Amino acid sequence: MTERVAIVGAGLIGRAWAMIFARAGWDVRLFDAAAGVAEAAVPLCAEGLRTLAANDLCPDPEGAAGRICAAATLADALDGAAFVQENGPERLDVKRSLFAELDALAPAEAVIASSSSAIRCSLFTEGLPGRSRCLIGHPVNPPHLIPLVEISGAPWTDAAVLDRARATYEAIGQVPITVLKEIEGFILNRLQGALLAEAFRLASEGYVTPQDLDKTVSDGLGLRWSFMGPFETIELNAPGGIADYCARYTGFYKNLAADPAPPRVYEAPATEAILANWQAPADLPARMNRRDARLAALRAHKASQKD
């Protein structure tokens, strides 16, 4: 029997989740509270699946597209669902209200996951009768090309539910990681935030142009990190591995850590200095297409290295 997923919120992230689950053979029900959004999302998902197929990332785009349909009501979307992926606005009041509805309407055995980027699960599930089945399943944009999913439960989330969510994400082709203790922003955004703060400082204080800083990541760190994480990188960058690397090089990093970028890098005049020197790419649509193709190629290559 084909399993069903309810995708609640049919924006960019919701559509990506719909494609991911449908590609993996799931029956997908899309719902959005805004009139017409879920219906409009169905052909957009079909188009996205064809793009994935063109990059050898979806073997049967038409079959996958046929498994996605819009639900007229939230109850219709949740009917028979084994898994729920919520993609509502990143606002605590919305999460609380929406999760109360999801918990009341979803089948008792369904896992309820939120795509929240930073809000901790405990902040919007504490008073729910079914709080033990609620968790965060935070994807990385675009989820259909970048497979990481951060799983984070509240203190009351059932361990078996966390295991089931991890198994589900693995089965549909994603790469789940488990956040062992709740923390705001989870793991990826905290790492990204550290890099972003330093990027703002370096560009606003005139050490590098914003454009060249972006190249440093897209054609440097980003390419390295698409295949190796930071710990694996330093394991390979010193003859004696991580311990040797720490002995050799961490004096410099300790100096950096003692002088972190302050919060004011996100405010004027720092932001004004960056905007004064920032030029948005004139060919942005073409660059977006190249980004998607490059991400798809990198993902396919990385997968081939595991075979």
Side-chain angles (χ1 to χ4, degrees), residues 103-166:
D103 187 42
L105 295 172
E109 67 279 7
V111 174
I112 306 178
S114 173
S115 295
S116 173
S117 299
I119 303 173
R120 299 191 304 278
C121 183
S122 60
L123 296 178
F124 55 86
T125 64
E126 183 173 7
L128 301 180
R131 66 182 191 172
S132 64
R133 60 176 173 156
C134 299
L135 53 89
I136 300 293
H138 172 230
V140 184
N141 193 22
H144 57 295
L145 295 176
I146 303 179
L148 186 80
V149 183
E150 297 180 293
I151 298 173
S152 177
W156 43 78
T157 304
D158 191 322
V161 171
L162 294 171
D163 291 343
R164 184 176 160 200
R166 184 162 185 146

Side-chain angles (χ1 to χ4, degrees), residues 54-55 89-90 98 213 243 280 282 294:
N55 289 279
E90 191 74 357
L98 186 50
L213 190 140
R294 186 175 191 180

Side-chain angles (χ1 to χ4, degrees), residues 73 77 88 136 257 289:
T73 67
I136 300 293
N289 289 334

